[in-house]
Amino acid sequence: MGLSSLFDRTVRRSLGSIWLCVYMLVILQSNRRVLSESKYLIGLGSHDITGPAADVNMMGYANTEQIASGVHFRLRARAFIVAEPQGKQVVFVNLDACMASQIVTIKVLERLKARYGDLYTEENVAISGIHTHAGPGGYLQYVVYIVTSLGFVRQSFDVLVDGIEKSIIQAHENLLPGSILVNKGELIDASVNRSPSAYLNNPASERDRYKYDVDKEMTLLKFVDDQWGPVGSFNWFATHGTSMSRTNSLISGDNKGAAARFMEDWFVQKGIRTLQTGKSEADSIPRRVSNIIPEAYKDEQELLERAAAFQSRPGRPATRILSVSRRVRNALRQADRPQFVSAFCQSNCGDVSPNTLGAFCIDTGLPCDFNHSTCGGKNELCYGRGPGYPDEFESTRIIGERQFRKAVDLFSKASEQLKGTVDYRHSYVDFSQLEVSVTKPGGATAVVKTCPAAMGFAFAAGTTDGPGAFDFKQGDDKGNAFWKLVRNLLKTPGSEQIACQSPKPILLDTGEMKIPYDWAPSILPIQILRIGQLVILGVPGEFTTMAGRRLRDAVKTVLTTGAKREFNGNVHVVIAGLTNTYSQYVTTFEEYEMQRYEGASTLYGPHTLDAYIQEFKKLAQSLIDGRPVEPGPQPPDLLAKQISLLTPVVMDATPFGVSFGDVKSDVPLNSTFKRGDLVTVTFWSGCPRNDLMTEGTFALVEILQKKDTWVPSYDDDDFCLRFKWWRPSRLSPQSLATIEWRIPQTAVSGVYRIRHFGAAKNLLRSIRHFTGSSSAFVVA
């Protein structure tokens, strides 16, 4: 590195480090009275992270046939920053993604360091995933998590890194004096335990302390700007992102992403209704376009006459910015005030399913076997049913709506204000060979060790949310001779590893597999963020219900007992699951013995939870004592070693005489639809991988206003609009986009049309954007 480059980096780090202090002084001078009451600076941000909507395997179910082919609704990164004047600051980012990724976290932190110096680091930045199983994969760095995506997918990775960084930048630039309220409440009907036989293996005396076999409590933060009032909310509640099934191919934030959409729209529409009527409503699911004032028409015939004047328009060239500018959400955003941001974060969801009707056999309709979740010995016939069964989209809406309604209730009634220090602790821990002190029955202590990562046979059985294949089944503590032979072709586990992981029969010895590079992580981040009496535990995996309870209780005991009782018993401890990286599941010792899916996916052996508790207690004690902690060994940066087998888009084509954006299948002429009807239009298109349309849209519904002005009404970030992309044949360069609009009950009467935005690549590899529109039709 040259001297000039070194000097530049040094100066930028120094400037970044002092920026917040200078900003605090400005705020202190200009807001002396406000800061006498507000102890924090708060800032929120949000950015589109929707990945490639074509050709890429989705992350979560490990189903090779689940390939993205459209958009249900868009994915976002949502961030908050809380800073204490002349003190510390913390950042929390919630991703509409399956989980956080170590390599994504590393590269985001590198960008933040280049921009802000040492202001935001691995110690005070937490990045957490909601665990949707309907987002593009290929963005993790360890082999086992990118096998089904044909290796690393640069597009999936880049959009995440860009979106996370931009959400944090936006939150940073929005920092203003404000307060934070916390509220908690039970949400009863959005979750069930999908491994009850394993839960029942926990001690009865422990189970008797709890009313339910899953955590039903939602904890919500309400962010209130001193100037603008409420500007956002973040909540934590445990339920899997598996309302959308393993056969779904549309990108979706699942139930938590849906809840976030509903909440953000509710707040914006609430403000519009309040301005228009002086009243605020919180009882209905909001719609995206409530600020459109319906025009007065004589009758339906007048609407039909107006619609007849607008036939489908041939596809024509367009600019990318046109897609961005036509987004409905842009029209609703108020430029003179902070955007309202609402995030529905994941917690200890390991054994928690949103498929609340239970698990049934698809061949007989009878309940699945209790211990093994099989039907006649076959796990692939056992599926959980959501409340909207058999419609997975309806199940997603219902579970999302239930979380949304509870969040609105907690948001509206929040009164306890967070007060006190902003602080954090972070450490990297090698979980492959960690010595752990455990208490044996009778009270004696012993030192045990964790193991290099390994996955058991029941891992391949999947769960009732997404069963696996072949003859694997949950609860298998023996294994199978044939699959052991197959396993040994990759890596034969040694006797020490077999004993360490017992009673797990090892299917994949991932922690000891290093070709072409690491198959699984060994060094993991653990983290505590503190904002007053709220403590967030950032864990890099999926803790089961009881495992999460034990961890929370252990940390809370450290924080509220001993010589320094700073919290005086009033502390809210929440678990943020799937944070900063991913290492699969964490069960209790007793659940591990049962070797259901979650136990088989607990990588580091039967004492994994004890290891987490031991290390988190150290972090908590150092937080109370005001002592720093050792950073620990750094995880590897494997970006340069990544392999991708996903073929690029070579070119796009249309039939002779057809342009990109032309309508292939239009609405019927002079057609009238009613609310609840499905409107479908198909366009000639290009591959969505050519342009992700970040902060834009592939699909748009427009309403006619006045004589010839088309106003955006719904886009591909709306629950009622679906963008589906497909090829006539697998290797064809031609492709089509079908846009489906289920007309909401809240849609105003009028003349509408459907529009498509896309991008196509020619043989010279250049990309050009296009747009096309359907004939107009009437909604009466």
Side-chain angles (χ1 to χ4, degrees):
M1 181 185 297
L3 288 175
S4 60
S5 177
L6 179 62
F7 175 77
D8 178 65
R9 290 190 62 181
T10 303
V11 168
R12 292 186 70 177
R13 289 178 188 174
S14 300
L15 289 175
S17 298
I18 66 173
W19 185 94
L20 190 62
C21 293
V22 173
Y23 183 68
M24 300 287 191
L25 291 174
V26 173
I27 293 294
L28 282 165
Q29 292 298 320
S30 59
N31 297 275
R32 285 181 178 177
R33 183 187 61 81
V34 170
L35 280 172
S36 66
E37 299 175 359
S38 301
K39 302 300 182 184
Y40 305 123
L41 293 180
I42 59 172
L44 289 88
S46 175
H47 201 271
D48 190 355
I49 56 168
T50 309
D55 302 332
V56 175
N57 185 253
M58 288 184 165
M59 183 63 197
Y61 288 116
N63 176 17
T64 57
E65 297 179 358
Q66 189 189 12
I67 306 298
S69 61
V71 177
H72 179 207
F73 58 89
R74 287 192 165 261
L75 311 180
R76 298 195 73 80
R78 297 173 171 91
F80 73 72
I81 299 176
V82 178
E84 196 175 9
Q86 300 178 329
K88 296 181 179 180
Q89 55 283 328
V90 295
V91 182
F92 188 90
V93 185
N94 189 62
L95 304 179
D96 287 345
C98 194
M99 67 281 290
S101 154
Q102 185 66 73
I103 192 61
V104 169
T105 301
I106 288 172
K107 297 308 174 185
V108 168
L109 292 171
E110 287 179 359
R111 291 193 184 187
L112 294 177
K113 190 174 188 66
R115 180 179 291 271
Y116 298 114
D118 295 326
L119 195 61
Y120 303 123
T121 70
E122 64 193 17
E123 295 184 56
N124 63 351
V125 175
I127 302 172
S128 180
I130 64 170
H131 209 38
T132 174
H133 285 42
Y139 62 91
L140 288 90
Q141 70 171 355
Y142 297 105
V143 173
V144 75
Y145 306 129
I146 55 176
V147 169
T148 58
S149 61
L150 300 179
F152 191 70
V153 180
R154 186 76 197 208
Q155 226 175 4
S156 296
F157 168 80
D158 284 341
V159 74
L160 278 169
V161 174
D162 291 344
I164 295 167
E165 181 195 21
K166 288 173 181 176
S167 71
I168 294 173
I169 292 171
Q170 188 182 125
H172 179 87
E173 293 176 348
N174 284 338
L175 281 169
L176 287 169
S179 56
I180 308 168
L181 307 178
V182 62
N183 200 4
K184 299 192 292 189
E186 281 191 349
L187 174 56
I188 302 300
D189 54 358
S191 57
V192 296
N193 196 306
R194 69 185 187 188
S195 286
S197 61
Y199 180 87
L200 288 173
N201 205 45
N202 292 306
S205 58
E206 182 179 34
R207 289 185 280 111
D208 289 344
R209 294 166 49 198
Y210 303 98
K211 187 176 180 181
Y212 306 106
D213 60 1
V214 295
D215 284 338
K216 300 285 189 178
E217 188 171 73
M218 175 184 286
T219 301
L220 178 137
L221 299 183
K222 177 178 181 178
F223 295 89
V224 183
D225 185 287
D226 285 341
Q227 179 182 359
W228 298 108
V231 291
S233 69
F234 276 58
N235 71 72
W236 290 264
F237 176 77
T239 194
H240 247 78
T242 50
S243 292
M244 301 295 288
S245 75
R246 68 192 299 272
T247 59
N248 163 64
S249 65
L250 301 185
I251 289 175
S252 174
D254 209 277
N255 56 71
K256 285 188 176 292
R261 295 300 183 279
F262 298 155
M263 184 97 176
E264 289 174 345
D265 291 345
W266 164 78
F267 185 84
V268 173
Q269 308 305 331
K270 179 172 74 79
I272 293 172
R273 284 192 297 269
T274 301
L275 289 173
Q276 292 176 345
T277 67
K279 298 179 180 180
S280 173
E281 302 172 19
D283 295 330
S284 61
I285 290 293
R287 64 192 205 56
R288 185 77 74 191
V289 68
S290 64
N291 59 334
I292 289 180
I293 300 175
E295 297 185 26
Y297 298 102
K298 293 179 182 178
D299 50 32
E300 184 179 322
Q301 185 59 38
E302 181 184 350
L303 289 174
L304 285 170
E305 291 173 359
R306 296 191 65 184
F310 297 93
Q311 300 301 309
S312 64
R313 299 183 63 181
R316 61 192 187 279
T319 60
R320 189 193 183 286
I321 196 66
L322 183 62
S323 167
V324 176
S325 65
R326 298 300 289 175
R327 277 197 69 207
V328 176
R329 203 174 189 90
N330 289 345
L332 289 180
R333 187 175 300 156
Q334 295 174 269
D336 61 342
R337 63 159 294 152
Q339 171 190 3
F340 185 85
V341 178
S342 181
F344 286 68
C345 311
Q346 195 53 269
S347 192
N348 52 319
C349 67
D351 54 356
V352 188
S353 171
N355 296 311
T356 53
L357 298 185
F360 295 87
C361 299
I362 59 175
D363 56 343
T364 65
L366 298 174
C368 304
D369 175 80
F370 183 75
N371 290 316
H372 301 289
S373 297
T374 55
C375 300
K378 296 182 178 180
N379 74 84
E380 57 264 39
L381 299 178
C382 177
Y383 277 88
R385 294 179 180 176
Y389 175 82
D391 186 341
E392 63 189 299
F393 294 95
E394 182 65 4
S395 292
T396 299
R397 183 196 64 78
I398 292 170
I399 298 298
E401 180 180 341
R402 288 172 180 174
Q403 291 177 78
F404 155 69
R405 291 191 185 282
K406 173 51 66 173
V408 168
D409 179 59
L410 296 176
F411 182 88
S412 302
K413 298 175 181 177
S415 59
E416 180 186 343
Q417 188 167 334
L418 295 185
K419 298 178 180 179
T421 302
V422 172
D423 207 348
Y424 48 81
R425 292 294 184 274
H426 176 283
S427 181
Y428 288 113
V429 179
D430 187 344
F431 274 78
S432 68
Q433 49 187 354
L434 184 66
E435 290 190 348
V436 184
S437 179
V438 298
T439 302
K440 297 288 187 179
T445 59
V447 176
V448 295
K449 293 184 71 173
T450 57
C451 326
M455 296 154 68
F457 274 67
F459 158 78
T463 72
T464 56
D465 290 338
F470 304 109
D471 53 354
F472 296 102
K473 64 180 180 180
Q474 297 195 67
D476 183 357
D477 61 358
K478 298 290 189 299
N480 171 288
F482 171 77
W483 288 111
K484 286 181 180 179
L485 286 174
V486 175
R487 170 200 69 190
N488 292 344
L489 295 175
L490 293 172
K491 174 71 173 66
T492 303
S495 57
E496 184 178 349
Q497 172 76 326
I498 291 172
C500 185
Q501 290 279 353
S502 178
K504 177 198 293 177
I506 298 173
L507 177 63
L508 288 172
D509 191 15
T510 52
E512 298 182 316
M513 296 166 68
K514 307 293 182 181
I515 299 176
Y517 44 88
D518 293 0
W519 278 57
S522 58
I523 298 171
L524 302 177
I526 60 172
Q527 186 177 44
I528 295 179
L529 304 182
R530 177 189 176 184
I531 309 169
Q533 65 268 34
L534 175 79
V535 172
I536 302 170
L537 310 181
V539 300
E542 304 173 60
F543 277 57
T544 61
T545 298
M546 194 63 85
R549 288 168 176 171
R550 290 184 189 178
L551 177 63
R552 284 198 306 263
D553 287 348
V555 170
K556 189 171 184 177
T557 298
V558 173
L559 297 176
T560 56
T561 59
K564 295 184 178 181
R565 299 188 180 184
E566 187 175 347
F567 290 96
N568 294 319
N570 181 28
V571 57
H572 306 283
V573 180
V574 297
I575 288 176
L578 308 117
T579 297
N580 293 328
T581 190
Y582 184 62
S583 59
Q584 295 175 246
Y585 284 74
V586 180
T587 64
T588 66
F589 180 87
E590 295 82 0
E591 291 166 347
Y592 187 91
E593 289 181 313
M594 300 298 291
Q595 280 301 293
R596 284 182 59 86
Y597 174 83
E598 295 82 11
S601 303
T602 297
L603 295 185
Y604 308 103
H607 303 293
T608 300
L609 175 60
D610 294 310
Y612 272 104
I613 291 174
Q614 172 181 283
E615 299 305 307
F616 264 101
K617 287 171 70 174
K618 292 178 184 178
L619 289 191
Q621 192 62 56
S622 70
L623 189 75
I624 290 298
D625 295 341
R627 294 182 290 102
V629 293
E630 291 296 323
Q634 288 290 313
D637 178 343
L638 301 176
L639 185 59
K641 296 184 177 182
Q642 295 302 310
I643 297 171
S644 178
L645 301 177
L646 180 68
T647 56
V649 179
V650 177
M651 64 168 290
D652 295 287
T654 58
F656 180 76
V658 174
S659 299
F660 291 105
D662 281 0
V663 174
K664 184 178 186 296
S665 176
D666 202 359
V667 294
L669 289 176
N670 302 317
S671 54
T672 298
F673 297 92
K674 300 187 183 305
R675 293 162 187 85
D677 288 348
L678 182 68
V679 183
T680 302
V681 180
T682 299
F683 298 85
W684 288 101
S685 190
C687 182
R689 290 164 62 195
N690 293 326
D691 191 321
L692 304 183
M693 297 296 177
T694 302
E695 292 292 3
T697 183
F698 289 107
L700 188 67
V701 175
E702 298 175 315
I703 186 172
L704 183 64
Q705 295 277 282
K706 302 188 183 301
K707 186 178 180 180
D708 57 1
T709 301
W710 290 98
V711 178
S713 301
Y714 302 90
D715 59 29
D716 68 9
D717 202 15
D718 274 293
F719 205 84
C720 63
L721 192 65
R722 298 175 194 170
F723 166 71
K724 298 181 176 181
W725 179 86
W726 50 286
R727 291 187 177 97
S729 60
R730 184 173 182 179
L731 299 179
S732 174
Q734 299 178 5
S735 64
L736 296 135
T738 297
I739 298 173
E740 297 178 351
W741 182 40
R742 178 71 65 182
I743 304 174
Q745 296 299 320
T746 51
V748 300
S749 297
V751 176
Y752 289 85
R753 71 178 182 184
I754 290 177
R755 192 168 177 182
H756 171 44
F757 297 93
K761 180 183 289 186
N762 61 27
L763 276 173
L764 299 177
R765 312 289 290 171
S766 63
I767 293 175
R768 61 188 183 91
H769 292 80
F770 61 85
T771 185
S773 57
S774 73
S775 298
F777 54 92
V778 171
V779 173

